[in-house]
Amino acid sequence: MVLEKFTPKKDLNRRAANYMEKHVSVKTVLRFETCSSFMLHATNAEMSARKMVISNRCGNRFCPVCTWGTAKKDAIKLSIILEAIRDIEDKEFLFLTLTAPNCTGEELGSEIDRFNKAVNKLFQRRNVKKIAKGYARKLEVTTDQEQYVTEELYKRKKPYYDRRSLNVGDPNPTYNSYHPHLHILVTVNKSYFNKPEQFISKAEWLAMWRECMEDDSITQVDAKKASVTGKSNAVLEIAKYSAKGSDLYHSEIVFDTFYTALKKRQLLVYGGMMKDYAKLFKNGDLDKYKKVDEDEYTHMLRSVWKASKYENVLRKFTPEEYENYNQRALLIEENNEVR
Ligand SMILES: [Zn+2]
């Protein structure tokens, strides 16, 4: 099936537009609803390679199509920044995950403020300042909308349920709660991981995070060395959207909670050396780290969204188009997979 990845996101867009309607102007909701209803892709006769040329994307951060595209772009950008920093600055990366116990939907906004304040405090601490040369951090929020403990939930959080003597089918104590947390990639010297006087253990990270959050009930903090390839988990965690689709569009009331808490907030933040390299990336100074697209493009695929699927028309390129879309340097491979 052509555009098999677009179709489900575009399909979800309609439900999302219904939820959006009360929050935004008619103009915005119209752009949102018609997002990516027209697309041109450079491709070949077999359609084995595809490259977006034009689309009427809406760019809204709550749009299922656009957030998916942004996450893919951010993953590529981030992996290039990491590769360049490792190459030029000879640095490595630490992957931190900072959490707190779940909160209610009403508390979500103020809880996010608390996280942001606390993480700034954490990076101001002397021993953290000493080792952190830069960071990229993403705020993510998940929600638990299972009224009863499901088999899947039980498997995933077995120790939690066992501590409370809960089994599959019992009322779920975290039903309708929200779980904000931070994923942070920290630039560190190579020596960080093997010099005991620099290394900060998981237990120390937890102790510091508790102090910054002023919350001793926090138990979940993770700190580990990150791999830096484009498909690395750390890169994808930072690049992916702040709320996964199955949570965000779960129901109108859940959407409203996410919308109110996440709108107008900066969710992906670069600092220090990562910020400097994000600028270099933007200016094209890191282009040599981009993967060159080796595919040959010969056809134009036109896709128009009608009813609930894309109608596709494939035609051959004009000679001018062939020239245009096969300038290799302009065609950067965008094949990173983002959840
Ligand atoms: Zn969109």
Side-chain angles (χ1 to χ4, degrees):
M1 192 169 84
V2 192
L3 304 177
E4 66 283 2
K5 285 185 178 172
F6 273 95
T7 304
K9 275 114 193 155
K10 179 61 193 149
D11 210 32
L12 192 56
N13 181 278
R14 201 173 355 190
R15 183 165 15 137
N18 289 338
Y19 295 164
M20 278 293 280
E21 185 262 338
K22 68 168 175 256
H23 295 288
V24 295
S25 67
V26 174
K27 200 173 141 200
T28 302
V29 85
L30 278 177
R31 270 189 52 192
F32 190 101
E33 201 162 28
T34 54
C35 175
S36 305
S37 55
F38 178 88
M39 298 190 289
L40 290 181
H41 279 96
T43 184
N44 51 28
E46 306 77 42
M47 292 196 279
S48 57
R50 214 163 45 222
K51 176 92 198 163
M52 173 79 75
V53 172
I54 263 175
S55 80
N56 60 332
R57 66 195 295 275
C58 73
N60 191 288
R61 72 197 300 180
F62 294 95
C63 166
V65 186
C66 292
T67 50
W68 170 56
T70 305
K72 280 200 292 184
K73 274 196 190 127
D74 280 343
I76 293 166
K77 173 178 168 180
L78 197 58
S79 59
I80 287 171
I81 289 172
L82 299 193
E83 202 186 324
I85 289 179
R86 201 156 70 151
D87 184 31
I88 299 167
E89 310 281 348
D90 204 27
K91 302 288 184 219
E92 280 296 340
F93 303 92
L94 169 73
F95 188 48
L96 274 181
T97 301
L98 306 174
T99 77
N102 291 23
C103 66
T104 65
E106 294 83 63
E107 291 163 339
L108 185 57
S110 57
E111 185 67 357
I112 291 174
D113 289 338
R114 196 162 81 99
F115 263 79
N116 285 338
K117 245 196 221 154
V119 75
N120 286 332
K121 249 193 208 167
L122 180 70
F123 277 79
Q124 285 304 316
R125 292 181 76 120
R126 193 138 50 111
N127 55 339
V128 178
K129 254 182 155 172
K130 224 194 287 177
I131 61 119
K133 311 295 170 196
Y135 61 81
R137 67 170 207 245
K138 169 58 77 66
L139 178 93
E140 190 187 350
V141 183
T142 55
T143 182
D144 187 346
Q145 293 298 326
E146 293 292 352
Q147 216 164 337
Y148 300 97
V149 179
T150 61
E151 260 172 55
E152 194 253 314
L153 266 181
Y154 182 79
K155 243 188 254 166
R156 190 150 48 86
K157 294 166 63 180
K158 189 173 184 307
Y160 174 85
Y161 293 122
D162 285 353
R163 270 202 305 278
R164 287 161 181 77
S165 314
L166 291 170
N167 229 311
V168 176
D170 286 336
N172 179 10
T174 51
Y175 166 59
N176 202 23
S177 68
Y178 290 79
H179 182 59
H181 53 281
L182 283 164
H183 294 295
I184 313 175
L185 263 170
V186 188
T187 315
V188 292
N189 285 335
K190 265 187 170 160
S191 55
Y192 169 80
F193 294 99
N194 41 40
K195 278 203 177 146
E197 65 271 24
Q198 288 182 20
F199 186 75
I200 300 173
S201 71
K202 208 155 105 171
E204 288 170 283
W205 282 113
L206 175 61
M208 286 193 291
W209 180 237
R210 279 177 169 180
E211 280 177 33
C212 294
M213 285 284 275
E214 296 173 25
D215 186 346
D216 282 337
S217 68
I218 297 173
T219 55
Q220 302 302 310
V221 158
D222 198 22
K224 58 188 175 209
K225 191 174 178 176
S227 72
V228 300
T229 62
K231 290 197 194 312
S232 96
N233 203 33
V235 169
L236 296 186
E237 288 286 0
I238 303 278
K240 78 178 184 198
Y241 184 55
S242 289
K244 57 176 190 279
S246 53
D247 282 355
L248 185 57
Y249 313 112
H250 180 273
S251 61
E252 185 157 9
I253 184 153
V254 170
F255 180 84
D256 290 347
T257 304
F258 273 111
Y259 184 88
T260 311
L262 297 181
K263 71 169 176 187
K264 290 182 188 159
R265 278 182 205 273
Q266 198 185 355
L267 303 169
L268 172 58
V269 183
Y270 289 95
M273 190 182 283
M274 296 265 210
K275 195 175 180 176
D276 299 339
Y277 271 76
K279 253 180 231 158
L280 292 178
F281 176 89
K282 197 178 166 203
N283 295 340
D285 295 333
L286 302 181
D287 281 358
K288 71 166 177 153
Y289 293 97
K290 290 182 180 174
K291 240 192 257 165
V292 174
D293 187 351
E294 301 287 352
D295 288 313
E296 188 194 22
Y297 296 88
T298 52
H299 287 67
M300 191 68 95
L301 177 71
R302 188 179 73 223
S303 309
V304 181
W305 184 258
K306 282 201 178 129
S308 55
K309 61 177 200 300
Y310 280 107
E311 284 180 9
N312 299 298
V313 179
L314 188 67
R315 65 162 172 81
K316 264 195 176 149
F317 270 163
T318 63
E320 291 79 20
E321 282 174 332
Y322 183 87
E323 187 92 353
N324 251 334
Y325 298 121
N326 285 289
Q327 287 175 13
R328 283 172 159 210
L330 294 174
L331 294 162
I332 306 303
E333 214 177 353
E334 293 182 6
N335 58 356
N336 286 44
E337 289 298 328
V338 171
R339 276 188 279 159

